[in-house]
Amino acid sequence: MSQLPTKPVSPAPATSALTWHGRRLYRHDVPHRVLSGAVHYFRVHPGLWRDRIRRLADLGLNTIDTYVAWNFHQPREGVAPVFDGWRDVERFIRTAGEEGLDVIVRPGPYICAEWSNGGLPSWLTGRDLAVRSSDPGFTSAVGRWFDELVPRIAALQAAEGGPVVAVQVENEFGSFGDDHAYLRWNREALTARGIRELLFTADGPTDLMLDGGTLPGTLTAVTLGSRPDAARRLLAARRPDEPFVVAEFWNGWFDHWGRRHHVRGVESAVGTLRDIVADGGSVSLYMAHGGTNFGLWAGANEHEGRLRSVVTSYDSDAPVAEDGSLTAKFHAVREALGAQGPVRSPARMPTLPPARVPLVHRADLLPGLRATAAPTTTGPRPASFERLGLDAGMVLHTAHPRIPPGEHRLVLTDVRDRALVLADGDLLGVADPDGPELSVRGTGDAVRLEILVENLGRVNYGPGIGRHKGLLGPVLLDRRIVQGWDSTPLALQEWSATELAGAVAAGPATTHAGVAVATFDVGTPADTFLALPGSGRGLLWVNGFLLGRYWEIGPQVTLYCPAPLLRVGENTVTVLELERLGAVLELRDRPELGPPEEYVEEFD
């Protein structure tokens, strides 16, 4: 839809389940308090959707909320978005309704969520356009996406007999920009495609963010981790008739590679929660159940110009842990919310017994990667991920510069994010933005220079959203630019079982890195937690499914493997190790997410 109506929007249509007036929220005209919890269908195996939703009902919630990740449904330009299997968001919503819960949908198109690129497809953000703005190049693409998505949500609204009672307009826009024409476009894009339930915005509780992210006539919710009383006063001054709604209460926090595991004490979290729900306040726990950043979907943040990549686990110290366990925080939150019903869910899911399995090195790194490579692009400079149409994974760049005798400086002037550099098959070292320079010895002959560049996660928050990946600046040999490159994309997240088998078969193994395999038998599939002691950094597949990234710098040590990924009989774990392969795969019966650090997010 290119043209959308610009008529005024009432606070909530007469047919909507949720309405508000006099600083109170009502559900079908009965005073109501939303007690919600965030759980993302894209972070939970579909075989466990009902289990996790039921655990949130046991927590004492009456609602769940979920983002919709556009890039999860439409990772390729020109290919219609997919809504089946793991991407069947309609089934997820219906399952919540069957468990007696209302649903709040947050369709973005931007979602943050520590998810790659904030949910925006890299094929879109790679264009020359202004993301999250009224730039027609952006809104036209969002409109086509909403044409596919929004009618599916509309059919599940409470007005149609479904569980959807509210839909969010954009997402924390006030911490990004102030293009109110774009915000109005989003609101009208939803209503024009059939949304009749309550609409709301969600922003941090500061004047700066609320000025940028709110709309007249649309309920204003806030996102916070602390000081709800200050937020309540601010909203009362700005929106005196509206109820107090916290669209995200950060009762925990996420982790970055190379940092500590963030936790929030039970007393701290529950004390703030009690303050939020006092006097009729509504809340959504972010996260109630965090789940996992399977595959290469983990996002990243930027801090002082440097990337901080999000780990594979999205446990978030939530009341319901990554593996579904009911934590001490679960029971304390349940008490604070006054839950009366029984806890129907077991405290923990069954696990496999601990075991140590040999890890067999089958192929070296580059031969294994080349065995499944896509067509190569040739040009005077290295091709970026975006030019190659590659969202995640790696790119192998090859050039053949002549290097005079002696030691020389090799500088990767702008590498995003990390690169292994080899000359005639010998590893020169690792280059990244903090260490872009390596030493190379020449003989006067041409060398085969190979640079394997890894994307460590696309920025999901702030002005860095959509930042490109790859070798973005020239590669310098002393002062001379190296030209004439072959660039081969490695879409690891899309590898089929056949491609993975091809990498395994590309032996022999003669180095310390590459492709390895471990097998183990299972009688009854159950959860397990996988660790690779002695290995350095890489990716791990279970029965052909890319579980995620591991890295010895931590904090995360184990990768959660849910039972539905396993099968009766032999199971195969495939490892792509980039630096140093260990000798064993460990199956553990408990997660190890790293040394904890208390963290409470606050706004100044």
Side-chain angles (χ1 to χ4, degrees), residues 352-400:
L352 298 179
R356 286 170 62 89
V357 182
L359 193 58
V360 181
H361 194 179
R362 299 287 296 275
D364 287 341
L365 180 60
L366 293 189
L369 292 174
R370 289 195 194 98
T372 61
T376 293
T377 296
T378 299
R381 63 181 182 179
S384 68
F385 278 57
E386 287 70 26
R387 183 181 168 197
L388 294 169
L390 184 64
D391 176 62
M394 305 177 191
V395 176
L396 179 60
H397 303 282
T398 305
H400 297 85

Side-chain angles (χ1 to χ4, degrees), residues 179-470:
D179 186 343
H180 290 101
Y182 166 66
L183 269 188
R184 290 192 298 271
W185 182 93
N186 268 271
R187 181 178 63 186
E188 292 154 9
L190 296 171
T191 58
R193 291 164 174 82
I195 298 299
R196 292 187 285 160
E197 300 298 334
L198 178 71
L199 296 174
F200 67 98
T201 58
D203 289 283
T206 70
D207 283 317
L208 179 75
M209 295 180 183
L210 294 174
D211 286 347
T214 59
L215 287 171
T218 300
L219 179 68
T220 296
V222 291
T223 60
L224 53 79
S226 61
R227 297 185 290 188
D229 289 342
R232 183 183 267 110
R233 290 192 298 269
L234 178 62
L235 282 183
R238 296 177 64 106
R239 300 285 185 116
D241 193 46
E242 294 185 9
F244 183 55
V245 177
V246 177
E248 292 184 15
F249 164 49
W250 305 317
N251 65 110
W253 203 245
F254 56 91
D255 295 338
H256 293 120
W257 289 113
R259 305 285 167 171
R260 296 176 76 86
H261 170 48
H262 289 134
V263 298
R264 182 168 184 178
V266 172
E267 291 185 6
S268 169
V270 171
T272 302
L273 176 62
R274 291 184 187 276
D275 291 342
I276 292 171
V277 299
D279 193 28
S282 292
V283 67
S284 179
L285 305 174
Y286 193 96
M287 297 292 294
H289 170 60
T292 308
N293 295 313
F294 292 113
L296 299 176
W297 289 112
N301 297 98
E302 287 184 322
H303 179 73
E304 297 179 350
R306 288 293 181 258
L307 196 76
R308 289 186 176 177
S309 301
V310 175
V311 303
T312 301
S313 172
Y314 201 63
D315 178 84
S316 303
D317 195 32
V320 178
E322 180 181 16
D323 65 337
S325 294
L326 307 183
T327 67
K329 189 177 289 183
F330 173 94
H331 295 288
V333 167
R334 178 178 157 85
E335 180 182 358
L337 296 180
Q340 299 297 317
V343 177
R344 300 162 294 171
S345 305
R348 286 198 74 206
M349 301 291 279
T351 59
L352 298 179
R356 286 170 62 89
V357 182
L359 193 58
V360 181
H361 194 179
R362 299 287 296 275
D364 287 341
L365 180 60
L366 293 189
L369 292 174
R370 289 195 194 98
T372 61
T376 293
T377 296
T378 299
R381 63 181 182 179
S384 68
F385 278 57
E386 287 70 26
R387 183 181 168 197
L388 294 169
L390 184 64
D391 176 62
M394 305 177 191
V395 176
L396 179 60
H397 303 282
T398 305
H400 297 85
R402 185 176 301 277
I403 303 179
E407 294 288 331
H408 299 271
R409 296 169 57 246
L410 186 70
V411 183
L412 282 58
T413 60
D414 190 2
V415 57
R416 308 290 176 88
D417 296 304
R418 188 177 173 93
L420 296 177
V421 183
L422 301 95
D424 289 335
D426 295 327
L427 180 66
L428 298 181
V430 175
D432 61 23
D434 289 323
E437 182 176 328
L438 298 169
S439 178
V440 59
R441 174 171 287 278
T443 64
D445 295 326
V447 304
R448 185 179 75 254
L449 179 63
E450 293 168 303
I451 303 179
L452 181 65
V453 180
E454 182 181 6
N455 170 1
L456 293 178
R458 291 184 179 271
V459 173
N460 56 258
Y461 180 83
I465 297 167
R467 200 178 301 284
H468 290 200
K469 295 291 186 177

